[in-house]
Amino acid sequence: MPSPKGGGSASLIRMCGAEAARMTQELTAQGRRLNTDVRWVKVYRVRRWQSAFHNSIYHLRAQGFKQDTYRKFRRQGWDNAETLVYTNSAGRYVGMISRGTSADGASFIFALYGN
């Protein structure tokens, strides 16, 4: 993923521990309940780069994806989460859910999921 414009020392780390496993299980289970195929989930921790959430799928526009208005997935206790979904005409989708994890707004956790 490209670094933020203007430089800086942002970091993007793929999570693979217990918290990431819980998020993967929760999103997959929600997909089954909603009759939505969730084939993959990737969980990241971002420091000092809030826009990573949006920048990570912005490039999909060139592949025929567009922002959709539905918000199917939620995480318990993530009332302040931000959700974004991009879909294409072939029925493919990429969704994201994100929330801040630090009081100063410098750290975020987000999950990418899709079919």
Side-chain angles (χ1 to χ4, degrees), residues 15-29 41-43 75:
M15 296 173 56
C16 56
E19 185 174 10
R22 279 191 303 277
M23 288 180 76
T24 299
Q25 290 170 349
E26 187 174 328
L27 291 169
T28 303
V41 177
K42 296 179 181 181
V43 182
R75 286 215 64 218

Side-chain angles (χ1 to χ4, degrees), residues 3-4 7-12 46-49:
S3 298
S9 59
S11 66
L12 178 68
V46 180
R47 290 192 176 91
R48 298 175 304 279
W49 187 22

